[in-house]
């Protein structure tokens, strides 16, 4: 029996330091590392079961070759040599006939560290293929909007929340996606600090907070502007801070803010005028207010404007200039690692891009040349992408040679020609950095790869050798590559000696003492010339979205998607215990809406719009407001009554950052028995 200090690789802001308890070639237990100050010795309920993820009987054991129709899950076992020979031959033939643009590498986060994640994309970058515009299904909208407002810098140190005097979780279910921040927040609460949750859903975080404001989906910018209106009216703005550190406040105050009276904001958001007044008074009185911003509120048509409005609030009160004050979206902007050393080892500076949100469309419509080969690792686009039905239609093309590298037979892998067994993060060494804190850690493998699994790192290096890609990164070990990540750094990680990380102890970067700004002006840009040049409102604003208004006229319900507590995404679907704990895939409808449709709790129901129809189990609860239907988590279709929720979502892009607009989806629900 031994213990190994490792880092959690799931796509989560906390990046927990963990202790793997190992007996021979098996992990028997995962627990939190008590020596990590932020994650504080405990792991979430999901990661506590990761020993079962590693040793799941559902793991792929060998490479597989398709023997039946795409999607039929009919495969035969083959050797690694046979699989790699076929991949090499197919890729070389396609490149000879159509050029490298006919290939697309599609690797995202799932449960991978920085090397295993980026080296796959680095291979395709060096080969000059079409390139994945990654992150658009997740964070490109909020991150671009943040960068246009504050610049590419990290937000407030989450550990500073112990010094805050008011905390707002805005569109962020901390207990689902940021539980260690909640633990730090409890320290502040013992001093009497109040926690406000602004969220359309009555989440576990909302229930545990001091005050929950159930805002209408897509109206966050209006509420933020309403707060500014009241702060201006009541003389609660920090005029000195605004004059010294912002660009465009006077114009914003003059041209935009006056429209957002409490009465108008109440009409837009559905919140009572008294609550809007109370929230603004609380925020104006606080000196060290901390806003934890969730990414989900930006996954809609005008999500970028929502982020810009909320992120500007701490400048209006001067909270950005005080310890414990400010806002946190992500920390990664201030951790200036040179990941390009792996992600962009060589290759053309520009080539054809494929937006992750538009994968289905591009598989079906892209030409000159069409996409003829697809390599997918660490992601499950047949479930996670908008227009998931269109993605599956594209994956069904017999002329598309698809390779999927994954620990499990996912919905996406079912459409592959070759499926390769992948390691989990506990079976490979890697480097990790948090994006919701300022920690980093180098992690060894806790156990050897299970079955015949290969890591992304090993596979990318072998494919590079076969395809004649000779960049040094494809011949180096992980430890040899790590110093490249720190080369040229002048920010929060500049003082870290890379070799000091090899003992596995988590290291904290040096977060900024106060909020810095890295915009062209060096100030927080309320007025963005870059947005003005793009024809987008240059100052944070809220306007009704014409397409949403039209869709709301056709369909009576609006979709709200949010992480679930045990199956937030399909990386956890290989753990039977967590599937059982979450239960069958379900939706939540307000009692009023359920009664209007004659629907009872526990019924099988059909969710439908012009794009698709799916089947889920119904929970009737007042966790959401009337007119909203909540679907928690992204679940494999093989477990659902029928289909997966993202079949209902369009591939429309957000106003800023070309992101996915999942929350701009309208639909209806009826009893399953009445389906067409």
């Amino acid at each position: 029996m031994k213990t190994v200090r490792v880092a959690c690789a799931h796509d989560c802001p906390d990046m927990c330091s963990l202790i793997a308890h190992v007996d021979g070639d098996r992990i028997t237990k995962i627990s939190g590392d008590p020596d990590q100050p932020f994650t504080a010795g405990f792991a979430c309920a999901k990661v506590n079961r990761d020993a079962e993820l590693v040793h799941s009987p559902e793991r792929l054991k060998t490479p597989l070759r398709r023997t039946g129709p795409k999607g039929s899950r009919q495969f035969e076992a083959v050797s690694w040599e046979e699989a790699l020979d076929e991949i090499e031959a197919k890729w070389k033939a396609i490149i000879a006939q159509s050029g490298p643009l006919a290939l697309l590498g599609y690797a995202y986060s799932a449960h991978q560290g920085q090397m295993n994640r980026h080296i796959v994309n680095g291979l395709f970058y060096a080969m000059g293929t079409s390139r994945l515009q990654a992150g658009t299904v997740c964070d490109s909208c909020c991150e671009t909007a943040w960068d246009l407002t504050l610049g590419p810098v990290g937000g407030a140190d989450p550990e500073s929340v112990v010094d805050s005097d008011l905390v707002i979780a805005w569109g962020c279910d901390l207990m689902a996606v940021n539980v260690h921040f909640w633990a730090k927040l409890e320290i502040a609460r013992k001093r009497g600090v109040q926690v406000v949750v602004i969220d359309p859903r009555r989440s576990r975080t909302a229930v545990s907070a001091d005050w929950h404001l159930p805002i209408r989906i897509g109206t966050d910018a209006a509420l933020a502007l309403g707060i500014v209106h009241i702060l201006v009216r009541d003389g609660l703005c920090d005029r000195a801070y605004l004059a010294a550190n912002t660009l465009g406040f006077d114009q914003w105050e003059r041209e935009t803010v006056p429209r957002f009276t409490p009465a108008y904001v109440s009409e837009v958001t559905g919140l009572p005028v008294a609550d809007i007044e109370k929230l603004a008074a609380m925020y104006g009185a606080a000196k060290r207010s901390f806003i934890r911003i969730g990414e989900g509120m930006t996954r809609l048509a005008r999500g970028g404007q929502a982020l810009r409005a909320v992120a500007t609030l701490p400048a209006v009160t001067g909270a950005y200039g005080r310890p414990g004050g400010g806002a946190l979206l992500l920390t990664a902007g201030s951790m200036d690692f040179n990941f390009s050393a792996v992600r962009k080892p060589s290759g053309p500076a520009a080539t054809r891009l494929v937006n992750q949100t538009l994968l289905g469309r591009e598989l079906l419509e892209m030409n000159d040349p069409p996409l003829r080969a697809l390599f997918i690792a660490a992601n499950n686009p047949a479930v996670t992408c908008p227009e998931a039905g269109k993605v599956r239609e594209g994956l069904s093309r017999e002329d598309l040679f698809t390779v999927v590298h994954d620990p499990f037979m996912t919905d996406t892998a079912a459409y592959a020609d070759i499926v390769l067994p992948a390691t989990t993060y506990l079976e490979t060494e890697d480097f990790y950095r948090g994006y919701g804190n300022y920690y980093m850690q180098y992690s060894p493998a806790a156990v050897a790869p299970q079955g015949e699994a290969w890591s992304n790192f090993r596979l990318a290096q072998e494919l590079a050798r076969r395809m004649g890609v000779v960049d040094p990164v494809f011949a180096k070990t992980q430890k040899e590559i790590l110093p490249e990540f720190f080369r040229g750094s002048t920010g929060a990680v500049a003082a870290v000696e890379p070799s000091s990380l090899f003992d596995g102890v988590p290291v904290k970067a040096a977060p900024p003492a106060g909020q810095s700004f890295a915009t062209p002006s060096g100030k927080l840009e309320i007025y963005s010339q870059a947005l003005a040049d793009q024809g987008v409102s240059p100052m944070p604003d809220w306007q009704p979205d014409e397409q949403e208004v039209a869709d709301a006229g056709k369909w009576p319900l609006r979709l709200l998607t949010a992480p679930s507590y045990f199956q937030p995404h399909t990386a956890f679907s290989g753990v039977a215990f967590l599937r059982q704990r979450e239960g069958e895939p379900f939706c939540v409808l307000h009692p009023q809406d359920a009664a209007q449709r004659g629907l009872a709790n526990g019924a099988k129901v059909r969710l439908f719009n012009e794009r698709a129809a799916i089947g889920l189990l119904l929970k009737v609860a007042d966790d959401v407001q009337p007119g909203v239907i909540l679907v928690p988590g992204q679940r494999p279709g093989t477990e659902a009554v029928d289909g997966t929720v993202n079949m209902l979502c369009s591939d429309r892009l957000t106003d800023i950052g070309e992101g996915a607009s999942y929350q701009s989806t309208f639909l209806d629900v009826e009893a399953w028995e009445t389906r067409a």
Side-chain angles (χ1 to χ4, degrees):
M1 181 74 74
K2 64 177 181 178
T3 59
V4 183
R5 177 183 275 121
V6 295
C8 176
H10 291 289
D11 189 5
C12 168
D14 287 4
M15 196 207 78
C16 293
S17 184
L18 305 171
I19 302 296
H21 303 258
V22 181
D23 187 359
D25 62 352
R26 292 188 65 84
I27 299 173
T28 59
K29 180 183 176 183
I30 294 291
S31 58
D33 179 358
D35 294 328
Q36 214 285 20
F38 181 67
T39 58
F42 73 95
C44 71
K46 303 178 292 293
V47 172
N48 274 331
R49 315 296 302 203
D50 270 357
E52 297 166 51
L53 184 75
V54 174
H55 302 296
S56 169
E58 300 168 29
R59 288 282 300 271
L60 294 170
K61 304 295 192 298
T62 67
L64 303 171
R65 177 191 289 128
R66 179 170 64 91
T67 59
K70 289 196 171 188
S72 68
R73 298 177 183 263
Q74 297 175 34
F75 294 92
E76 64 179 1
V78 295
S79 68
W80 267 101
E81 195 69 20
E82 289 175 291
L84 291 170
D85 284 347
E86 183 169 342
I87 294 168
E88 177 186 354
K90 290 279 192 181
W91 284 3
K92 286 181 175 177
I94 289 170
I95 291 172
Q97 295 166 6
S98 303
L101 294 183
L103 275 65
L104 175 66
Y106 188 108
Y108 198 43
S109 51
H111 41 246
Q112 303 293 332
Q114 298 301 320
M115 296 194 198
N116 278 284
R117 174 179 178 179
H118 292 311
I119 198 167
V120 175
N121 291 323
L123 169 64
F124 288 92
Y125 199 102
M127 289 170 61
T129 69
S130 294
R131 288 180 192 149
L132 182 70
Q133 191 178 349
T136 61
V137 298
C138 182
D139 56 17
S140 67
C141 176
C142 63
E143 191 168 353
T144 303
W146 175 278
D147 289 354
L148 287 166
T149 311
L150 286 82
V153 294
D157 182 353
E159 291 182 278
S160 73
V161 74
V162 297
D163 298 318
S164 303
D165 57 6
L166 173 68
V167 179
I168 300 176
W170 201 312
C172 187
D173 184 0
L174 299 171
M175 291 189 177
V177 300
N178 205 182
V179 66
H180 296 89
F181 181 75
W182 179 266
K184 292 293 182 187
L185 179 52
E186 290 285 17
I187 298 173
R189 296 186 82 184
K190 290 177 181 177
R191 295 190 287 104
V193 173
Q194 288 198 303
V195 178
V196 178
V197 171
I198 301 171
D199 197 318
R201 174 192 187 189
R202 193 180 65 192
S203 64
R204 293 184 182 180
T205 305
V207 170
S208 300
D210 297 289
W211 190 22
H212 172 217
L213 292 163
I215 192 172
R216 284 185 183 137
I217 300 168
T219 64
D220 302 273
L223 178 58
L225 280 153
I227 292 171
V228 177
H229 180 101
I230 295 169
L231 296 176
V232 169
R233 183 197 69 192
D234 294 350
L236 296 174
C237 302
D238 189 330
R239 296 283 178 176
Y241 185 89
L242 286 165
N245 297 282
T246 69
L247 180 69
F249 179 77
D250 290 346
Q251 184 179 353
W252 194 45
E253 178 184 19
R254 184 174 62 252
E255 297 180 4
T256 305
V257 172
R259 299 200 330 263
F260 291 87
T261 63
Y264 177 63
V265 173
S266 175
E267 178 185 335
V268 170
T269 64
L271 301 174
V273 168
D275 284 354
I276 296 165
E277 292 276 6
K278 177 183 173 182
L279 176 63
M282 289 174 65
Y283 193 73
K287 298 299 182 185
R288 302 181 307 281
S289 56
F290 192 120
I291 303 178
R292 181 63 172 98
I293 305 175
E295 298 174 38
M297 73 171 185
T298 68
R299 295 176 188 143
L300 43 75
R302 301 200 177 185
Q305 291 291 359
L307 188 284
R308 278 179 40 77
V310 174
T312 299
L313 285 174
V316 179
T317 62
Y320 273 133
R322 305 183 189 107
L328 172 62
L329 173 71
L330 303 168
T331 59
S334 290
M335 301 173 77
D336 58 336
F337 294 108
N338 177 30
F339 291 140
S340 292
V342 171
R343 196 166 50 202
K344 303 177 182 180
S346 66
T351 185
R352 184 169 69 175
L353 297 178
V354 174
N355 185 309
Q356 195 174 6
T357 296
L358 304 178
L359 178 65
R361 185 188 305 184
E362 303 293 35
L363 288 175
L364 295 170
E365 299 177 6
M366 184 169 271
N367 51 42
D368 297 326
L371 291 173
R372 296 182 55 196
L374 180 63
F375 178 92
I376 300 172
N379 205 246
N380 190 7
V383 173
T384 60
C385 281
E387 295 274 13
K390 193 179 290 184
V391 173
R392 295 177 187 216
E393 183 182 352
L395 292 171
S396 298
R397 284 174 39 202
E398 282 294 333
D399 62 340
L400 177 70
F401 178 68
T402 301
V403 179
V404 172
H405 188 221
D406 200 279
F408 297 92
M409 178 56 69
T410 64
D411 284 19
T412 302
Y415 292 89
D417 297 280
I418 298 289
V419 180
L420 303 173
T423 59
T424 66
Y425 72 98
L426 291 165
E427 302 158 68
T428 180
E429 64 181 296
D430 212 325
F431 172 72
Y432 301 89
R433 65 102 174 93
Y435 61 85
N437 60 52
Y438 284 94
Y439 285 90
M440 67 193 82
Q441 186 171 346
Y442 195 88
S443 178
V447 291
Q450 303 296 290
E452 296 183 23
W454 283 22
S455 67
N456 279 0
F457 191 87
R458 179 182 179 185
L459 177 56
Q461 290 194 329
E462 173 59 20
L463 289 171
R465 184 188 68 79
R466 286 170 171 264
M467 298 303 293
V469 179
V470 297
D471 300 274
V473 68
F474 297 109
K476 290 184 176 182
T477 65
Q478 287 98 322
K479 286 187 171 66
E480 290 171 336
I481 291 171
L482 183 64
E484 296 297 324
F485 287 171
F486 292 81
R487 197 174 304 280
S489 175
T490 59
V493 304
V496 177
E497 169 52 49
S499 62
S500 69
L501 294 164
F502 292 144
D503 62 4
V505 176
V507 173
K508 187 175 183 179
Q515 183 63 60
S516 59
F517 306 114
T519 57
S521 67
K523 299 180 178 183
L524 185 144
E525 295 194 351
I526 298 171
Y527 184 96
S528 169
Q529 186 60 48
L531 288 177
D533 293 343
Q534 297 170 29
V536 177
S537 175
M539 297 181 291
D541 199 355
W542 184 88
Q543 299 278 357
D545 181 78
E546 292 181 4
Q547 185 61 57
E548 288 185 355
V549 171
D551 288 345
K554 299 177 189 174
W555 303 99
L557 300 174
R558 184 164 189 168
L559 177 66
L560 175 63
T561 57
S564 61
Y565 295 103
F566 301 102
Q567 292 284 284
H569 48 69
T570 62
F572 291 104
S573 63
V575 181
F577 174 87
L578 294 176
R579 293 199 304 266
Q580 293 163 6
R581 185 76 182 272
E582 189 73 55
E584 285 294 309
F586 64 93
C587 58
V588 180
L589 196 62
H590 190 274
Q592 176 181 309
D593 290 322
Q596 287 175 353
R597 293 163 175 79
L599 300 174
N601 190 63
K604 292 182 179 180
V605 294
R606 177 178 179 264
L607 283 64
F608 63 96
N609 59 16
E610 69 272 24
R611 279 177 288 279
I614 68 168
L616 297 172
L617 296 181
L618 177 65
K619 290 188 178 181
V620 179
D622 60 0
D623 294 351
V624 294
Q625 298 292 303
V628 173
I629 188 163
L630 167 70
V631 179
Q634 296 183 21
R635 309 289 292 278
T638 51
E639 287 191 13
V641 177
D642 185 58
T644 186
V645 66
N646 289 331
M647 291 176 172
L648 299 167
C649 303
S650 80
D651 58 8
R652 182 186 181 192
L653 301 181
T654 55
D655 55 343
I656 296 172
E658 297 186 319
S661 57
Y662 297 104
Q663 315 291 8
S664 292
T665 301
F666 295 81
L667 67 155
D668 203 351
V669 61
E670 64 184 6
W672 182 254
E673 290 76 15
T674 63
R675 69 190 186 278

